[in-house]
Amino acid sequence: MVITLIKATIYWVAILYALAAGLYFWGEAAGKRPVLRLAWILAGTGCFSNLLLLVLRGILTGRLPLSNGSEFLLSFTWITVGLYLCLETRRQLKGVGGYVMFIAALFMLIVLMVMKGQLMETSPLMPALKSPWLSIHVLTAALAYAGFTLAAGLAAKKLFQADAGLMPDPIYRIIAAAFALLSLSIVSGAVWAEQVWGSYWTWDPKETWALITWIIYALYLHLYKKQNWQGRYACLVVMTGYLLVLFTFFGVNFLLPGLHSYAVQCINNTFVC
């Protein structure tokens, strides 16, 4: 019963996010407030359904849904959409919804096409993953990635819509918060790694690319703070940082073997963030 609900819900969430993205783009281009309102409702319904999907996954496995790629992506997407809806309500940034919801729909498509089997997987966790550091490390990473996704959506609006009229301050504040969370994720991961592998840092591909991502965002924050750096080039750096975020998760997990890919070989294509 739970597996059947999971299968149905994942399709439902993907459809809702895709429809919301299309309505956001259409409503913004045509200036139709009722369409934007409908897009918000669909996005909110998708966010709630995304949460239901995580709950169902937790019921199926008997643990928090944070231990494999599909669980992380579902959690990361849910946090992203939830944060965006709160931000839209507070700042009326409806024009950004199309970009954010498009990314959310794309992630759901990836889960369906690449990670669908993981949603039904019920194998017990490896000993290395049975640690309280798992929740800390993965949750902070998911929150950081969600913040970087919102910042990328804001930057995309500035780059592709000349009349966006969007001040850069929201981008800076979101990246500053996400950067702090990414730093916490890296530190907690290092402590966890020392307990599991006997070393805080091994220059594993995941660690290396996470560090490169951290440096790019640190550079953006430094230049913005010291030189009030903004505009097109600042947005391009934000987008570059987000591409590195995506590569750190997708590219490294699938393309670059390392300590973080041990679970891929052992638990039915399972990997963590």
Side-chain angles (χ1 to χ4, degrees):
M1 179 63 178
V2 174
I3 292 179
T4 302
L5 285 174
I6 288 176
K7 289 179 179 179
T9 305
I10 184 65
Y11 282 102
W12 173 242
V13 173
I15 291 170
L16 286 172
Y17 284 163
L19 288 175
L23 289 175
Y24 269 122
F25 282 126
W26 177 31
E28 177 70 14
K32 295 181 179 292
R33 293 182 64 85
V35 175
L36 293 172
R37 207 157 32 237
L38 178 58
W40 191 93
I41 292 172
L42 289 176
T45 305
C47 186
F48 177 80
S49 301
N50 198 153
L51 175 60
L52 176 61
L53 186 58
L54 290 169
V55 171
L56 291 172
R57 176 65 186 167
I59 293 173
L60 181 65
T61 60
R63 53 176 169 74
L64 289 176
L66 298 171
S67 302
N68 65 28
S70 64
E71 292 175 351
F72 178 80
L73 199 53
L74 290 174
S75 300
F76 158 37
T77 305
W78 172 64
I79 293 171
T80 300
V81 174
L83 286 176
Y84 170 73
L85 293 173
C86 293
L87 185 64
E88 178 183 321
T89 301
R90 294 185 59 187
R91 293 186 170 275
Q92 301 298 307
L93 297 178
K94 294 181 173 62
V96 186
Y99 298 102
V100 175
M101 298 312 301
F102 174 78
I103 293 173
L106 183 61
F107 287 162
M108 291 301 101
L109 185 62
I110 290 173
V111 171
L112 283 169
M113 296 181 64
V114 182
M115 306 176 180
K116 189 176 179 180
Q118 293 182 14
L119 290 176
M120 317 308 160
E121 175 62 45
T122 58
S123 298
L125 292 177
M126 293 183 65
L129 297 180
K130 294 179 181 179
S131 168
W133 288 107
L134 172 66
S135 297
I136 299 173
H137 177 59
V138 177
L139 279 175
T140 51
L143 285 165
Y145 284 14
F148 292 138
T149 302
L150 292 180
L154 293 167
K157 182 175 174 65
K158 282 186 65 69
L159 282 173
F160 301 132
Q161 298 183 23
D163 59 342
L166 184 65
M167 296 299 291
D169 287 345
I171 299 177
Y172 171 79
R173 287 196 291 269
I174 291 172
I175 288 181
F179 179 79
L181 288 164
L182 178 62
S183 301
L184 180 57
S185 179
I186 291 174
V187 170
S188 62
V191 174
W192 185 15
E194 196 280 331
Q195 294 180 357
V196 176
W197 299 320
S199 176
Y200 289 102
W201 195 268
T202 61
W203 294 104
D204 176 76
K206 177 75 71 174
E207 296 171 349
T208 301
W209 282 97
L211 178 61
I212 293 172
T213 302
W214 187 91
I215 291 172
I216 291 295
Y217 283 115
L219 178 64
Y220 167 84
L221 293 172
H222 173 77
L223 291 174
Y224 183 94
K225 197 68 174 179
K226 296 298 182 181
Q227 302 181 23
N228 194 29
W229 195 52
Q230 53 188 283
R232 180 177 179 82
Y233 289 110
C235 288
L236 287 173
V237 171
V238 172
M239 298 295 289
T240 300
Y242 189 60
L243 291 177
L244 288 174
V245 166
L246 295 179
F247 182 78
T248 300
F249 179 67
F250 294 107
V252 173
N253 284 328
F254 287 111
L255 301 177
L256 301 178
L259 289 174
H260 280 79
S261 62
Y262 64 91
V264 175
Q265 302 169 1
C266 299
I267 307 183
N268 193 24
N269 293 328
T270 299
F271 53 83
V272 294
C273 66

